[in-house]
């Protein structure tokens, strides 16, 4: 039997039972659509998180106080860890291939301007923040490059804080109170938006030395180091480690590169995407059961047709290919319909809810489509074998 005739027979059989064929394919349609929608959400969250995380650039490493890895020392030894200081940050700024090093202290305090007040995030930072974090100044200027002992009480406002406290008026030169200390506003940052749910616009930037006094801290929370794009991150990390060892005498600090953080986040988010794809795959298994059931019923209903085909000379292999082709066509229709429905649903949700991060995961879509074809073929094998093994005489008598 030629493939063209085989295809026509299979297509004719499917179209003659439209309702049953539609219900059979519906399981795969729902399964594929579920995979498309769920993986699009997973991939969208994946891209959103990584995009938020890399908005400060990709050539950064951070130095934290204390050693986070486990080692066999007594608690008395661990308690001698030296805090990070502004001098450490200044020294790291002179390391080869390092463009800037910025001290960081973070807290939350009441900010007052005239008769208005609000609680905001307060970042104690250095003058290199615009360069290190890639945040521009909207009006005025950023904090001057002054030593820790000479840090004047200057403040730079985030765009949201400026709007809440001063409205449309210029805050430059105005006095504000942060906690119990008074500061003079010298600049306003451009809107940066949120990073992983943290609003950078609802922030006040002050010198790190002032922030340490305000929050009664003995040392910095971290030092962010920006290095040249053409520099090797391994060499920069080693140079930073050597400089810190020379200053502290022991490795009582932890260095984390942005690549390491991105790799960990990427692996976690990839597992999340795979998990939601697996949830959608359950629907595919349900669809395969539907195909198996319908094809088994079809063999039972078409015993006489099989007997007639065998009587006019159709070989067992031809009967096997016929029923297998019907199963594959059903799965092909279900897979194509599921992909179309899933993509359409994702596009519609993206229009209705623009804030929801969605991104079509084409690799998972292609895999789900291929799996649907494989499931259709696998589910059709047993009924096709059963049909091919029928005795022609017994099949004709069944009429």
């Amino acid at each position: 039997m030629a493939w063209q005739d085989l295809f026509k027979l299979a297509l004719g059989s499917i179209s003659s039972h439209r309702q049953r064929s539609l219900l059979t394919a519906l399981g795969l349609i729902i399964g594929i659509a579920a995979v498309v929608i769920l993986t699009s959400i997973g991939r969208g969250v994946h891209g959103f998180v990584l995009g938020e995380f890399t908005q400060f650039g990709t050539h950064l490493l951070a130095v934290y106080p204390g050693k986070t890895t486990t080692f066999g020392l007594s608690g008395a030894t661990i308690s001698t860890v030296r805090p990070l200081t502004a001098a450490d940050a200044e020294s790291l700024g002179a390391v080869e291939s390092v463009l800037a090093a910025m001290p960081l202290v973070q807290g939350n305090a009441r900010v007052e301007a005239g008769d208005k007040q609000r609680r905001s995030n307060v970042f104690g930072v250095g003058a290199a923040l615009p360069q290190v974090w890639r945040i521009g100044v909207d009006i005025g200027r950023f904090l001057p490059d002054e030593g820790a002992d000479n840090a004047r009480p200057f403040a730079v406002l985030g765009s949201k804080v400026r709007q809440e406290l001063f409205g449309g008026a210029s805050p430059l030169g105005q006095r504000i109170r942060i906690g119990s200390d008074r500061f003079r506003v010298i600049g306003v940052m451009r809107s940066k938006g949120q990073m992983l749910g943290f609003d950078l616009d609802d922030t006040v930037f002050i010198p790190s030395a002032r922030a340490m006094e305000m929050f009664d801290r003995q040392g910095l929370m971290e030092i962010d180091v920006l290095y040249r794009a053409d520099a090797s991150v391994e060499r920069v990390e080693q140079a930073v480690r050597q400089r810190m060892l020379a200053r502290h005498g022991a490795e009582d600090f932890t260095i984390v590169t942005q690549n390491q953080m991105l790799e960990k986040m990427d692996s976690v988010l990839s597992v999340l995407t795979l998990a939601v794809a697996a949830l959608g795959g359950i629907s595919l298994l349900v669809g395969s059961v539907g195909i198996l059931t319908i094809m088994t019923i079809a063999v039972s209903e078409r015993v006489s047709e099989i007997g007639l085909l065998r009587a006019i000379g159709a070989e067992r292999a031809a009967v096997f290919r016929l029923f297998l082709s019907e199963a594959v066509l059903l799965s092909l229709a279900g897979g194509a319909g599921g992909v179309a429905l899933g993509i359409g649903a994702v596009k519609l949700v993206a229009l209705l809810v623009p804030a929801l991060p969605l991104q079509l995961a084409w690799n998972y879509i292609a895999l789900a489509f291929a799996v649907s074809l494989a499931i259709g073929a696998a589910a059709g094998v047993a009924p096709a074998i059963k049909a091919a093994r029928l005795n022609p005489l017994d099949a004709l008598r069944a009429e």
Side-chain angles (χ1 to χ4, degrees):
M1 184 181 295
W3 282 104
Q4 297 89 337
D5 298 329
L6 195 66
F7 177 77
K8 289 179 181 178
L9 281 174
L11 191 60
S13 176
I14 292 174
S15 59
S16 63
H17 301 86
R18 290 187 179 89
Q19 185 175 5
R20 186 173 70 183
S21 299
L22 178 60
L23 292 175
T24 304
L26 188 60
L28 287 178
I29 291 174
I30 295 174
I32 296 291
V35 171
V36 173
I37 295 171
L38 290 175
T39 55
S40 296
I41 295 174
R43 182 59 60 84
V45 172
H46 183 283
F48 173 77
V49 172
L50 292 183
E52 289 285 290
F53 194 73
T54 57
Q55 65 175 314
F56 293 127
T58 55
H59 306 291
L60 291 174
L61 62 82
V63 182
Y64 299 95
K67 188 68 176 174
T68 58
T69 56
T70 302
F71 50 94
L73 294 178
S74 68
T77 303
I78 297 174
S79 66
T80 61
V81 171
R82 291 177 55 183
L84 297 179
T85 65
D88 289 331
E90 184 178 353
S91 179
L92 291 181
V95 171
E96 183 181 0
S97 299
V98 170
L99 298 176
M102 183 194 73
L104 176 63
V105 177
Q106 179 185 349
N108 188 276
R110 185 179 70 255
V111 182
E112 301 177 39
D115 58 348
K116 296 182 179 179
Q117 63 174 330
R118 60 180 283 113
R119 293 199 70 87
S120 297
N121 300 302
V122 178
F123 277 2
V125 296
L129 179 136
Q131 181 184 8
V132 176
W133 281 8
R134 299 200 305 187
I135 306 178
V137 178
D138 187 23
I139 59 174
R141 60 191 177 95
F142 198 68
L143 302 173
D145 188 7
E146 298 175 327
D149 297 333
N150 302 317
R152 288 176 287 178
F154 290 155
V156 178
L157 307 181
S159 58
K160 185 175 182 179
V161 177
R162 175 260 177 100
Q163 182 64 34
E164 293 289 336
L165 295 181
F166 295 97
S170 174
L172 298 184
Q174 299 295 321
R175 297 283 181 174
I176 63 173
R177 183 181 296 275
I178 305 176
S180 59
D181 300 328
R182 294 179 61 84
F183 291 80
R184 184 162 65 90
V185 178
I186 62 171
V188 177
M189 304 302 291
R190 293 175 186 167
S191 178
K192 186 69 174 180
Q194 294 192 353
M195 183 195 70
L196 304 179
F198 183 80
D199 193 353
L200 294 174
D201 296 334
D202 190 9
T203 302
V204 179
F205 301 96
I206 63 175
S208 58
R210 295 277 178 172
M212 289 173 64
E213 295 177 1
M214 180 181 299
F215 300 119
D216 193 22
R217 292 189 59 90
Q218 299 299 315
L220 303 172
M221 296 177 64
E222 68 179 88
I223 299 174
D224 292 338
V225 178
L226 174 68
Y227 56 90
R228 294 204 318 263
D230 58 348
S232 167
V233 62
E234 290 81 10
R235 291 185 178 181
V236 174
E237 181 181 1
Q238 185 61 26
V240 169
R241 179 174 284 105
Q242 293 299 326
R243 179 62 60 89
M244 290 298 295
L245 283 172
R247 292 186 55 83
H248 285 217
E251 193 168 347
D252 56 355
F253 54 88
T254 299
I255 299 176
V256 180
T257 67
Q258 196 168 38
N259 289 340
Q260 293 170 340
M261 290 184 279
L262 288 174
E263 287 173 2
K264 290 180 180 179
M265 293 182 66
D266 185 68
S267 62
V268 171
L269 294 171
S270 296
V271 170
L272 172 65
T273 305
L274 183 61
V276 297
L279 291 176
I282 296 175
S283 299
L284 288 180
L285 293 179
V286 175
S288 68
V289 173
I291 291 180
L292 176 62
T293 303
I294 294 300
M295 292 306 300
T296 302
I297 295 173
V299 171
S300 302
E301 290 179 346
R302 296 162 61 189
V303 171
S304 59
E305 178 186 340
I306 296 170
L308 182 59
L309 286 172
R310 295 283 282 123
I312 61 178
E315 299 178 352
R316 288 185 174 181
V319 175
F320 174 81
R321 289 196 297 268
L322 173 62
F323 281 86
L324 185 61
S325 298
E326 290 183 19
V328 172
L329 283 176
L330 281 173
S331 62
L332 179 64
V339 170
L341 178 62
I343 293 177
V346 170
K347 297 292 186 183
L348 180 61
V349 172
L351 289 175
L352 297 177
V353 191
L356 182 65
L358 294 173
Q359 181 180 347
L360 290 172
W362 292 106
N363 54 337
Y364 283 102
I365 294 175
L367 179 61
F369 185 75
V371 168
S372 71
L373 293 181
I375 284 176
V381 167
I385 291 176
K386 179 181 178 181
R389 288 179 175 177
L390 285 176
N391 186 285
L393 294 178
D394 294 338
L396 286 173
R397 290 196 192 101
E399 185 65 25

